[in-house]
Amino acid sequence: MATILANNDNVDITMPELKFDITRVRHDFPTLNQSINACPLVYLDSGATTQKPQCVIDTTAKFYTDENANVHRGRHTLSENATIQYENVRAQTATYFGVNSNEIVWTKGATEAINLVANGLRKQVTANDTIIITPIEHHANLVPWQVLAQQTGAKLAAMPLNKDGTFDTELCLKFIKKQKPAIVAISHASNALGNITDLPAIIECAKSLGAIVVVDGAQSAMHLKPNLKILDCDFYVFSAHKMIGPTGVGGLYGRYELLNALTPYQTGGEMIQTVTLYESVYRDAPAKFESGTPNIAGITAFGAALSYLSQFRHAEIFEHEQAVFNYAHSRLAKIDGIYLYSSIKNNIGTLCFNYKDEHPFDLATLLDGYGVAVRAGHHCTQPLMAHLGINGSVRASFAFYNNYSDVDKFIDALQACIAILD
Amino acid sequence: MATILANNDNVDITMPELKFDITRVRHDFPTLNQSINACPLVYLDSGATTQKPQCVIDTTAKFYTDENANVHRGRHTLSENATIQYENVRAQTATYFGVNSNEIVWTKGATEAINLVANGLRKQVTANDTIIITPIEHHANLVPWQVLAQQTGAKLAAMPLNKDGTFDTELCLKFIKKQKPAIVAISHASNALGNITDLPAIIECAKSLGAIVVVDGAQSAMHLKPNLKILDCDFYVFSAHKMIGPTGVGGLYGRYELLNALTPYQTGGEMIQTVTLYESVYRDAPAKFESGTPNIAGITAFGAALSYLSQFRHAEIFEHEQAVFNYAHSRLAKIDGIYLYSSIKNNIGTLCFNYKDEHPFDLATLLDGYGVAVRAGHHCTQPLMAHLGINGSVRASFAFYNNYSDVDKFIDALQACIAILD
Amino acid sequence: MTNTFNKVSESIRNASVWQQKYREIMLLGKTLPSLLTALKIDDALVPGCESKVWMYVEFDLTENVLVVAGDSDTRIVKGLLALILALYNGLTPEQVLQVNAYNEFEKLGLISHLSPSRGNGIKAMVEKIQTMAKQKLI
Amino acid sequence: MTNTFNKVSESIRNASVWQQKYREIMLLGKTLPSLLTALKIDDALVPGCESKVWMYVEFDLTENVLVVAGDSDTRIVKGLLALILALYNGLTPEQVLQVNAYNEFEKLGLISHLSPSRGNGIKAMVEKIQTMAKQKLI
Ligand SMILES: Cc1ncc(COP(=O)(O)O)c(C=O)c1O
Ligand SMILES: Cc1ncc(COP(=O)(O)O)c(C=O)c1O
């Protein structure tokens, strides 16, 4: 059963009934159940970081309370157990993405993971190579490639992008064939717009030409839960904190031979086989990329996050997110004076918008007065903003713990803010 | 009042009465109050990672329960508050070390911090330069300098070390004057032996010759609480998890001009001023070294760890640690067949030892049967082990939450293990 | 000394609800003349702001008083800038050091805008003003 | 098939306290002949162990049975190696796949030694044996 709310402007606003037990889910995320400025919190900043379910909080506390020890080091029970847990979460992560355990490297976040790849490829890149980037990239998937290009003399080439911020796949394929890139670095979903990239076609084309394809999955890892063997990219990065996991944890998937061929980005203890004063022999991946004490509590807690997610079929989560997002998109689009930059199709659930010529900072500040948490600014995507011809925007980003009521409160608050500004 | 336990072998074993309320302190560290293999846990692996007080655990849980948001990004209350806390802990850390807030960079640990410096100095180092390292270094303060030397052609020179693993300061100064190094990388305290380095003399000498002095403070940050402006080093690295703080957090202190002159190690969002598709302008330190979402929960919890420490005068902590360590050292030294490599003077509280020609792995495995957690192996210091002419050792490392009773249990267990092995 | 400021901020102080407070702040921003385009240069931008904030802090050498000028592309920040200008403009270095912007913003319920978050340039402006006043007095 | 193993591990199984168990493991290690020095080469070392563990896993081509040899500089790991050898040596690939070292170690209360910690090479050895047996059967 679907309720039709309004049908002016020829846009259907539908609220499909949801099978998802959203009440229980929201109960599992304690941060959501609070008031901000005397209003119930409407958290629409999951694109920046998601909230955490109780089990993640409890697992962290339990680790520090009962289990704390360093991993891969001590010959004692606490250390052995911490190591087992730590490696189990690696296996769990590999299962989540449909890959092998030894193809997962722990980092502190998606940014570090991209740096690890870009830096690790340095010895394989020459001045004759081309690296394709795209105008939608987060700075994290842009600046490391600029650095690599500077250091190697390789050429950077930006993928063509439609005026509205979507890719024309045919044009992209043509471009790739013309550039014959050594590397293609591309996001699975835009953090500013939420638009999902048509990766399968791009990856197939790039790989047929021998390119290494590096996918920024920071925004897609949770919303899309890709099977990376099917997606067939060579590298893929993610951040736990955008997947209802803890801060300070991220990871890199790499096709094993390519992964193992990277030069280590960070050196030190635990990544070496033998060390003399003047030289060292490194171990094989993933160990050689994990020098230093890792975020053990964080990784253990990330295991709890993945377990939490695995209680649902992914399709359930996705369907719920899409229903709430579609509702939000449609309602927002109806407000006079709103510029909406996110496409409604193929979107992970992000609304990128402005109101008339108001500054997004002012809008976000006022929305906060109503307890609505959004982000304002360039979203670490200055080239995309330039491409869209704007300085910045407001971004409301959804996750599966948002509901229709969040949308209603958001739209009501937005209208109240507009009344203040007008 | 001091109790004299035994006085054979002409070694006094004293147990000075302690003013420190060790019972309350141990109560604050929940991990300590458990049984391992049906014996009360005796945690002597603080050199690998320290246990965490309840306030650190609670602060982490509170962050994720009530306060979770990304920092420096959202224009909303949660994000603003998270940012304030995050920056407050930076100020707290700066106060702890007697330096300025903008001289503290957050990293994921000491290892990353050393990599940040070594990598960041690359453009300043030439093939004519010499980098002094020492044979006591943890691999984390060795391999990054080997990489830098390979990349720049600079020469590595190892500081002279006495047979017993201590430095002869006079010899060191002579060596430095002869080498005229561009960089001196040295530990404040050895993680394998616990020996404290005579840094003031070395730093003064090195700096008078224009060298940059990088101090690995992973082991000294908590035990010695150095005032870095007085110590007068140029860079200093530490790990929160060795300072009763969370895993996945560390930091770098750098004298501001030198810090700001480093090339960024990791690039991405939040560290840039402006980004176009093909080039970027970076911000000033510390921002330019902190791309990507930091370990916000971890850093917030590290604030709680520093607050916990600040309830004591540092001298109180140190005196307690030294009393327990001296007692342990003296008792261990009395056991027939024990080779003890740690000096009793100028030691942060670490016992590095072997028993006859038994393998440290066997000893540590059996000690674990009695609930005693120690580390066995090369402790990420292969060159030091080679220097001492051993493959590895057992390491028992103390912290201020250890007491005399831990020592008694450890010695009793050790004697029982010896009985099994003999 | 804080006379101008008291007058300027009166309507904000008297606002009964936060919505009204922000309306008054934005009105105040409107009264602040825009910086000349020639002065809106990148070198004058406060680094790290998501909004654009241009800032000039100088001492008038003949009068020995502070001259602060600024502008922002956001209405709220511009209003807050107007408050800072009202607070500090025309003061001598000694007077500057007696003014505590944090207290004043706290009284107006606007303290969160002086947070260390990089979201606006007000804090940077206050810090620059205070540093300059201190330097003048050395 | 696990006859040798049952015999060899009997004393461990019967140990009443853990101390006794480790004594028996170490005794068992003593009965295992040392590898020839010529075989104790770095290439045969299990990577990442804090102790040194040399490992050789091969199939005897004429007999089609597994030949496992190993040594360690630690007494406990050497004893555990002896258990693995007793478990697998001389088995055909089919037989190898029917033996579950994890179950056997679990029964002996030694499962923690098969943990993914890098502290010993037993787990690596078991994995190598199983991989080789599987490859033989393809
Ligand atoms: C002296 C020394 N330096 C560096 C490190 C590396 O610290 P982390 O593993 O926290 O990066 C350690 C810890 O093992 C250490 O003891
Ligand atoms: C698309 C995209 N890539 C990379 C990142 C960087 O992730 P993190 O800050 O967790 O390193 C983000 C998050 O801001 C993102 O949205």
Side-chain angles (χ1 to χ4, degrees):
Chain A
M1 254 267 294
T3 322
I4 296 186
L5 267 198
N7 198 5
N8 40 4
D9 300 338
N10 298 324
V11 185
D12 279 6
I13 299 191
T14 58
M15 295 168 82
E17 214 178 326
L18 296 166
K19 286 151 247 157
F20 201 58
D21 187 351
I22 185 68
T23 312
R24 209 206 76 204
V25 166
R26 287 178 69 83
H27 183 80
D28 291 337
F29 288 78
T31 321
L32 296 178
N33 306 303
Q34 67 177 295
S35 292
I36 296 288
N37 300 320
C39 302
L41 169 64
V42 177
Y43 188 74
L44 301 181
D45 199 19
S46 296
T49 198
T50 56
Q51 295 304 335
K52 322 301 174 200
Q54 193 62 46
C55 62
V56 166
I57 304 168
D58 292 345
T59 302
T60 312
K62 184 164 180 303
F63 177 81
Y64 284 134
T65 304
D66 296 331
E67 304 158 7
N68 178 65
N70 212 325
V71 291
H72 292 309
R73 304 192 178 208
R75 240 315 301 145
H76 58 81
T77 304
L78 284 178
S79 174
E80 291 277 356
N81 291 345
T83 307
I84 293 171
Q85 275 199 53
Y86 174 80
E87 291 300 332
N88 280 350
V89 180
R90 193 194 303 276
Q92 217 183 332
T93 307
T95 304
Y96 181 89
F97 290 118
V99 299
N100 301 322
S101 275
N102 64 357
E103 297 177 317
I104 297 289
V105 174
W106 294 123
T107 65
K108 64 177 177 176
T111 301
E112 187 184 32
I114 297 168
N115 277 269
L116 196 163
V117 178
N119 198 284
L121 287 169
R122 195 183 309 175
K123 290 191 181 156
Q124 301 171 45
V125 172
T126 72
N128 299 322
D129 287 327
T130 297
I131 302 168
I132 291 187
I133 47 168
T134 96
I136 69 160
E137 300 311 312
H138 187 282
H139 297 159
N141 199 27
L142 208 49
V143 191
W145 303 112
Q146 293 176 351
V147 172
L148 179 62
Q150 277 158 21
Q151 286 171 337
T152 59
K155 192 184 100 185
L156 287 178
M159 196 86 100
L161 187 69
N162 296 332
K163 271 232 172 95
D164 67 355
T166 60
F167 287 110
D168 176 328
T169 304
E170 285 315 307
L171 264 184
C172 289
L173 301 188
K174 250 191 217 153
F175 183 77
I176 295 170
K177 282 174 197 152
K178 196 177 138 222
Q179 295 288 339
K180 296 194 186 54
I183 299 168
V184 176
I186 188 165
S187 284
H188 200 179
S190 151
N191 67 303
L193 301 172
N195 299 356
I196 300 168
T197 313
D198 181 13
L199 277 189
I202 288 172
I203 292 176
E204 198 197 333
C205 172
K207 293 194 62 176
S208 75
L209 297 166
I212 292 176
V213 181
V214 182
V215 173
D216 179 350
Q219 293 292 333
S220 69
M222 181 178 76
H223 295 294
L224 304 179
K225 199 192 178 198
N227 178 308
L228 299 181
K229 289 290 174 197
I230 295 175
L231 192 63
D232 204 30
C233 56
D234 298 306
F235 293 100
Y236 180 95
V237 306
F238 61 94
S239 281
H241 73 93
K242 294 188 203 278
M243 302 173 70
I244 70 170
T247 56
V249 175
L252 168 68
Y253 152 78
R255 187 185 303 279
Y256 194 79
E257 318 79 67
L258 286 176
L259 179 65
N260 205 27
L262 296 179
T263 311
Y265 173 56
Q266 177 172 303
T267 59
E270 296 303 310
M271 55 82 69
I272 53 82
Q273 188 63 36
T274 53
V275 177
T276 67
L277 274 169
Y278 303 108
E279 56 185 6
S280 304
V281 179
Y282 302 151
R283 298 175 48 186
D284 280 335
K288 77 167 151 190
F289 303 112
E290 295 184 355
S291 62
T293 303
N295 187 348
I296 309 167
I299 288 163
T300 304
F302 182 48
L306 292 178
S307 299
Y308 185 89
L309 289 174
S310 72
Q311 70 184 299
F312 309 105
R313 281 179 303 104
H314 177 68
E316 264 179 288
I317 293 180
F318 188 69
E319 199 183 311
H320 171 84
E321 287 184 346
Q322 290 288 305
V324 174
F325 168 69
N326 285 336
Y327 176 58
H329 195 286
S330 311
R331 289 212 53 193
L332 185 59
K334 276 187 195 289
I335 297 177
D336 263 353
I338 287 285
Y339 297 95
L340 187 39
Y341 309 104
S342 303
S343 69
I344 189 162
K345 287 226 172 113
N346 295 322
N347 195 301
I348 54 168
T350 298
L351 300 170
C352 180
F353 67 95
N354 275 320
Y355 174 72
K356 293 186 179 162
D357 59 352
E358 295 297 341
H359 199 287
F361 177 95
D362 292 331
L363 214 48
T365 302
L366 296 177
L367 279 169
D368 182 54
Y370 291 101
V372 178
V374 296
R375 196 176 164 197
H378 55 61
H379 319 297
C380 295
T381 57
Q382 290 183 3
L384 176 60
M385 295 296 119
H387 180 93
L388 297 172
I390 54 182
N391 278 323
S393 74
V394 179
R395 183 187 72 178
S397 50
F398 291 78
F400 63 91
Y401 43 64
N402 289 118
N403 58 14
Y404 289 135
S405 163
D406 284 336
V407 178
D408 292 335
K409 287 180 199 133
F410 161 56
I411 298 289
D412 288 351
L414 184 60
Q415 266 151 342
C417 296
I418 287 173
I420 300 174
L421 288 167
D422 273 348
Chain B
M1 252 266 297
T3 322
I4 295 186
L5 267 199
N7 198 5
N8 41 3
D9 299 338
N10 298 325
V11 185
D12 278 5
I13 299 192
T14 58
M15 295 168 81
E17 215 178 328
L18 296 166
K19 284 151 248 156
F20 200 57
D21 187 352
I22 185 69
T23 313
R24 208 206 75 203
V25 166
R26 287 178 69 82
H27 183 80
D28 291 336
F29 288 78
T31 321
L32 297 177
N33 306 303
Q34 67 177 298
S35 291
I36 295 289
N37 300 321
C39 302
L41 168 64
V42 177
Y43 188 75
L44 300 181
D45 199 18
S46 296
T49 198
T50 55
Q51 295 303 335
K52 322 301 174 201
Q54 193 62 46
C55 62
V56 167
I57 304 168
D58 293 345
T59 301
T60 312
K62 183 163 181 304
F63 178 79
Y64 285 134
T65 304
D66 297 331
E67 304 158 6
N68 178 65
N70 212 326
V71 290
H72 291 309
R73 302 190 179 211
R75 239 318 299 147
H76 58 80
T77 304
L78 284 178
S79 174
E80 291 277 355
N81 291 345
T83 307
I84 294 171
Q85 275 199 53
Y86 174 80
E87 291 299 333
N88 279 350
V89 180
R90 195 195 302 274
Q92 219 183 330
T93 306
T95 304
Y96 181 90
F97 289 118
V99 299
N100 301 322
S101 274
N102 65 354
E103 297 178 316
I104 297 289
V105 174
W106 294 122
T107 66
K108 64 176 175 176
T111 301
E112 188 184 31
I114 297 168
N115 277 268
L116 195 163
V117 177
N119 197 284
L121 286 169
R122 195 183 309 174
K123 290 191 181 154
Q124 300 171 45
V125 172
T126 72
N128 299 324
D129 287 328
T130 297
I131 301 168
I132 291 188
I133 47 165
T134 97
I136 69 161
E137 299 312 311
H138 187 283
H139 297 160
N141 198 27
L142 209 50
V143 191
W145 302 112
Q146 294 176 352
V147 172
L148 179 62
Q150 277 158 23
Q151 287 170 336
T152 58
K155 192 184 97 181
L156 286 179
M159 196 87 99
L161 188 68
N162 297 333
K163 270 231 173 95
D164 67 356
T166 60
F167 288 110
D168 176 329
T169 304
E170 285 315 307
L171 266 183
C172 289
L173 301 189
K174 251 191 215 151
F175 183 77
I176 295 170
K177 282 174 196 150
K178 197 175 137 222
Q179 295 289 338
K180 295 196 187 51
I183 299 169
V184 177
I186 187 165
S187 284
H188 199 179
S190 151
N191 68 302
L193 302 172
N195 300 353
I196 300 168
T197 313
D198 181 14
L199 278 189
I202 289 172
I203 292 175
E204 198 197 334
C205 172
K207 294 193 62 175
S208 75
L209 297 166
I212 292 176
V213 181
V214 182
V215 173
D216 179 350
Q219 293 292 333
S220 69
M222 182 180 74
H223 295 296
L224 304 179
K225 199 193 177 195
N227 179 308
L228 299 180
K229 288 290 174 198
I230 294 175
L231 192 63
D232 204 28
C233 56
D234 297 306
F235 293 100
Y236 179 96
V237 306
F238 60 93
S239 280
H241 74 93
K242 294 188 203 277
M243 303 173 70
I244 70 172
T247 56
V249 176
L252 168 68
Y253 153 77
R255 188 186 303 280
Y256 193 78
E257 318 79 66
L258 287 175
L259 180 66
N260 205 26
L262 297 178
T263 311
Y265 173 55
Q266 178 172 303
T267 58
E270 295 304 309
M271 54 84 70
I272 51 83
Q273 188 62 35
T274 53
V275 177
T276 67
L277 273 168
Y278 303 108
E279 57 185 5
S280 304
V281 179
Y282 302 151
R283 298 174 48 185
D284 280 333
K288 77 167 151 188
F289 303 112
E290 296 185 354
S291 62
T293 303
N295 187 347
I296 308 168
I299 288 164
T300 304
F302 182 48
L306 292 178
S307 298
Y308 185 90
L309 289 174
S310 73
Q311 71 185 295
F312 309 106
R313 280 179 305 107
H314 177 68
E316 265 179 287
I317 293 180
F318 188 69
E319 199 183 311
H320 172 83
E321 286 184 347
Q322 291 289 305
V324 173
F325 168 69
N326 285 336
Y327 176 57
H329 195 285
S330 311
R331 288 211 55 192
L332 185 60
K334 276 187 193 289
I335 297 176
D336 264 354
I338 288 285
Y339 298 95
L340 187 39
Y341 309 105
S342 302
S343 68
I344 189 162
K345 287 228 171 109
N346 293 325
N347 194 302
I348 54 167
T350 297
L351 299 170
C352 180
F353 65 97
N354 275 320
Y355 174 71
K356 291 186 180 162
D357 59 352
E358 294 298 341
H359 199 289
F361 178 95
D362 292 331
L363 213 49
T365 303
L366 296 176
L367 279 169
D368 182 52
Y370 291 101
V372 178
V374 295
R375 197 178 163 195
H378 55 62
H379 318 298
C380 296
T381 56
Q382 290 183 4
L384 177 60
M385 295 295 119
H387 180 92
L388 297 173
I390 55 181
N391 279 321
S393 75
V394 180
R395 183 187 72 178
S397 50
F398 291 78
F400 64 90
Y401 44 66
N402 289 118
N403 57 15
Y404 289 134
S405 163
D406 284 336
V407 178
D408 291 335
K409 287 180 199 134
F410 161 55
I411 297 291
D412 289 352
L414 184 60
Q415 265 151 344
C417 296
I418 287 174
I420 299 174
L421 288 167
D422 273 347
Chain C
M1 168 176 51
T2 47
N3 250 358
T4 335
F5 177 75
N6 283 339
K7 225 170 102 186
V8 155
S9 65
E10 193 176 348
S11 57
I12 297 173
R13 202 183 330 271
N14 292 339
S16 54
V17 292
W18 66 264
Q19 289 89 338
Q20 189 56 30
K21 193 178 285 175
Y22 277 113
R23 267 202 202 96
E24 297 297 340
I25 290 171
M26 291 189 282
L27 276 177
L28 192 59
K30 274 194 184 156
T31 68
L32 187 68
S34 290
L35 268 186
L36 294 176
T37 316
L39 291 176
K40 287 189 181 175
I41 55 174
D42 281 3
D43 278 354
L45 277 176
V46 180
C49 295
E50 294 263 325
S51 49
K52 283 193 178 154
V53 180
W54 297 269
M55 159 173 116
Y56 287 89
V57 183
E58 293 170 2
F59 268 95
D60 178 314
L61 290 180
T62 49
E63 307 268 346
N64 190 33
V65 294
L66 196 71
V67 183
V68 195
D71 203 345
S72 169
D73 59 351
T74 95
R75 288 161 67 182
I76 293 172
V77 176
K78 194 165 179 187
L80 298 171
L81 273 176
L83 282 174
I84 296 294
L85 264 60
L87 208 48
Y88 286 109
N89 244 334
L91 300 195
T92 63
E94 290 84 357
Q95 289 170 326
V96 163
L97 293 181
Q98 276 158 39
V99 175
N100 186 328
Y102 295 85
N103 286 352
E104 301 303 329
F105 269 59
E106 175 113 62
K107 281 186 226 157
L108 296 178
L110 298 174
I111 189 68
S112 76
H113 292 287
L114 277 171
S115 86
S117 167
R118 293 164 192 161
N120 73 49
I122 308 300
K123 192 181 156 74
M125 192 156 203
V126 171
E127 279 167 4
K128 182 146 183 199
I129 289 170
Q130 283 170 342
T131 310
M132 284 194 65
K134 274 185 207 137
Q135 281 166 350
K136 274 279 143 183
L137 289 181
I138 294 171
Chain D
M1 166 177 51
T2 48
N3 252 356
T4 338
F5 177 75
N6 283 338
K7 227 171 100 187
V8 155
S9 64
E10 195 177 349
S11 58
I12 297 173
R13 205 186 327 274
N14 292 339
S16 54
V17 291
W18 66 265
Q19 288 89 340
Q20 189 56 29
K21 193 177 285 175
Y22 276 113
R23 267 200 201 95
E24 297 297 341
I25 291 170
M26 290 190 282
L27 276 177
L28 192 60
K30 273 194 182 156
T31 68
L32 187 70
S34 290
L35 268 188
L36 293 175
T37 316
L39 291 177
K40 286 189 181 174
I41 54 173
D42 281 1
D43 277 355
L45 277 176
V46 180
C49 296
E50 292 264 324
S51 51
K52 282 191 177 156
V53 181
W54 297 270
M55 158 173 117
Y56 288 90
V57 183
E58 293 171 4
F59 268 95
D60 178 316
L61 290 181
T62 50
E63 308 269 348
N64 191 33
V65 294
L66 196 71
V67 183
V68 195
D71 203 346
S72 169
D73 60 350
T74 95
R75 289 158 69 183
I76 292 171
V77 176
K78 193 163 181 187
L80 298 170
L81 273 176
L83 282 173
I84 295 294
L85 263 62
L87 207 48
Y88 286 109
N89 244 335
L91 300 195
T92 63
E94 291 84 356
Q95 290 170 325
V96 163
L97 293 181
Q98 277 159 38
V99 174
N100 186 327
Y102 295 86
N103 286 351
E104 301 303 329
F105 268 59
E106 175 112 62
K107 281 186 226 157
L108 295 178
L110 298 174
I111 189 69
S112 75
H113 292 288
L114 277 170
S115 85
S117 167
R118 295 162 190 162
N120 74 48
I122 308 298
K123 190 181 157 73
M125 192 155 206
V126 171
E127 279 167 4
K128 183 148 183 195
I129 289 169
Q130 284 171 341
T131 309
M132 284 195 66
K134 273 184 208 140
Q135 281 166 351
K136 273 281 140 183
L137 291 180
I138 292 171

